[in-house]
Amino acid sequence: MARIAVIGAGMGAMAAAARLAVAGHRVAVYERARTYGGALGRFERDGFSFDTGPGLLPLPAVWRDLFVKTGKEPLEACVELVQVDPSARHVFADGTEVSLPNASRAGVVASLDEALGRGAGQRWGDFLVRARETWDRTRRPLLEEPLWPNWEVLAEREPYPAVPHKRLLRTRRAGTLAEVGAWELRDARLAALLESHALAYGLDPRTAPANAAVLPYMEYAFGVWYVRGGGLRELARAVYERCLARRVEFRFGTEVTAVVEKDGRVAGVELAEGGVAEAEFVVAGVAPGVLDRLCGGSAVRGDGEVPAQRGGASRLTVLLALRGGRPPGTAHRTVVHAPDRAAELDALFGPAPGVPARPTVTVLRPDDAALVPDADHEAVTLTSVVPAGGGADAGDLAGRLVEVAERVIPDVRERLLWQEVRTPADVAEATGAEGGAVPVPALAGGGGRLLHAANGTRVGGLFTAGGWSHPGGGLPHAGMSGALVAGLVVEGPEFRGSQ
């Protein structure tokens, strides 16, 4: 039985803590904030409650597996998971609208044909077949196995089976997600639908590799889910309580100031309050810059390894407390697409990143009585991708999002009681990530730009979990990072992933 110190109480770190405790280790979690959950925060005021991080859960099987492996009660006994149907309503630049059923390929095909014209659904359906092949090729190395020592194989190989495309007397295949949309979907609205999945993760579809097709595939194959009774913050609560049941110790308001090394191996963690908590293993669920500082300012990755991901995009979130109840039949999620996608991408990912004048905005309107004081009120969340670091006036940005939201909530300003704005600075405060950057999921190809550093480090006994290490950002990926770290600690470097 080893003593294990976990730095941070984010979802990946708690997933590792629960699994390690079940394996018989003594696990203590040190969290500088006063609560658990990391990016899965909650804001409460006047009887309203809002998720301040992700609002929907893809691939819940990852968290079901955690609960199966760490106790008798399954996930559904601890939280009420419900499929969101439709999975999303999309409002395109030309005013076309479509509502897409949850986890129904046939239903999605039929809906797209009806809204966008005959043949649109078939092209999307054919794309999903190719995306499934990509998923089958990359699922194990990118989600279920530790990062390969010869990770260059993943970096060089593009696993998406692109359709040959004749262009200027040459046959070409799509290498980026934007090219998949333009050459294979051949409809500006379908291309916008495809690209919105990458943009939601802070990826530029013009440079994201074609195998980013797995991002929409995960949603349309496995569905998107909501946790009724308080939102995704309730998932964080359930994981925290599972950790407590497995005798994981939590010390909130306790900042770790250094990782203590001895003879090239961790010996514990130094605490701001004084003293050292001795440990044979340390699991760090923090952003790479934070980890480097904890290790004396030096990088902890070995030569030849994938460099730690840094930078990237962030999110601006506007929480709206509205008078008047949620109208019957309202979609849980509506994506209002930017009128000029090229201008939006240039603004976000150009040489001088800024906020688009009219961004793509995701509008979440949950049907959940736990979020509002009574049935005569509604809690609405608006989210848009913005450059990490922000820089623009938060009030001005919030106004832009509300203006876009008026396309789907025409009376939003008349109903507004108050609003709360969450900026990249707030994300940075909650997660420690520089500029409030949000980590992206690991993807193959692209020269390894979107691979994440391995869970092990050059320091013996020091491992990393969470969105900033393999297999990257997103709730499913965070959960898998916890499983990988637990396997590496328990079984050693010979661990090859779940079977």
Side-chain angles (χ1 to χ4, degrees), residues 27 98 151 267 344 361 447 472 483:
V27 183
V98 62
W151 58 268
E344 177 181 37
V361 176

Side-chain angles (χ1 to χ4, degrees), residues 94-317:
D94 66 354
T96 307
E97 298 185 15
V98 62
S99 292
L100 301 178
N102 200 340
S104 170
R105 179 179 178 275
V108 167
V109 168
S111 295
L112 289 173
D113 271 342
E114 181 179 354
L116 307 187
R118 186 175 179 83
Q122 185 62 51
R123 290 196 298 278
W124 184 260
D126 291 343
F127 157 74
L128 288 180
V129 171
R130 295 188 291 275
R132 176 179 180 175
E133 187 172 340
T134 309
W135 169 261
D136 291 340
R137 292 175 178 178
T138 60
R139 176 176 57 86
R140 277 199 67 83
L142 289 180
L143 288 181
E144 298 177 354
E145 296 179 351
L147 186 68
W148 293 353
N150 60 333
W151 58 268
E152 293 88 351
V153 175
L154 298 174
E156 297 166 359
R157 180 184 302 164
E158 173 50 68
Y160 178 77
V163 176
H165 171 76
K166 288 187 177 180
R167 183 179 177 87
L168 299 177
L169 302 180
R170 295 176 55 195
T171 298
R172 300 183 59 186
R173 295 177 184 269
T176 67
L177 197 67
E179 290 174 343
V180 171
W183 300 351
E184 299 180 12
L185 298 178
R186 305 190 308 278
D187 183 299
R189 296 161 299 183
L190 288 179
L193 172 61
L194 172 64
E195 293 180 3
S196 68
H197 289 276
L199 183 60
Y201 284 98
L203 291 170
D204 183 348
R206 302 170 302 183
T207 58
N211 68 87
V214 299
L215 301 177
Y217 174 77
M218 283 195 301
E219 176 170 322
Y220 292 104
F222 308 114
V224 286
W225 302 72
Y226 175 74
V227 182
R228 181 170 290 149
L232 261 65
R233 174 66 180 176
E234 288 301 295
L235 175 64
R237 174 197 56 77
V239 174
Y240 168 67
E241 292 181 352
R242 177 54 53 92
C243 286
L244 292 179
R246 301 283 77 82
R247 300 186 184 279
V248 174
E249 177 188 358
F250 284 83
R251 292 184 58 179
F252 296 111
T254 303
E255 183 178 1
V256 172
T257 54
V259 173
V260 179
E261 297 181 38
K262 184 177 181 180
D263 299 326
R265 184 176 178 84
V266 296
V269 294
E270 183 181 281
L271 306 178
E273 63 191 34
V276 172
E278 296 181 351
E280 286 80 46
F281 296 93
V282 173
V283 178
V286 297
V290 176
L291 181 59
D292 291 347
R293 290 196 297 273
L294 296 179
C295 293
S298 60
V300 297
R301 307 297 175 180
D303 293 338
E305 292 186 2
V306 176
Q309 289 278 351
R310 300 173 189 267
S314 186
R315 296 190 181 100
L316 181 80
T317 303

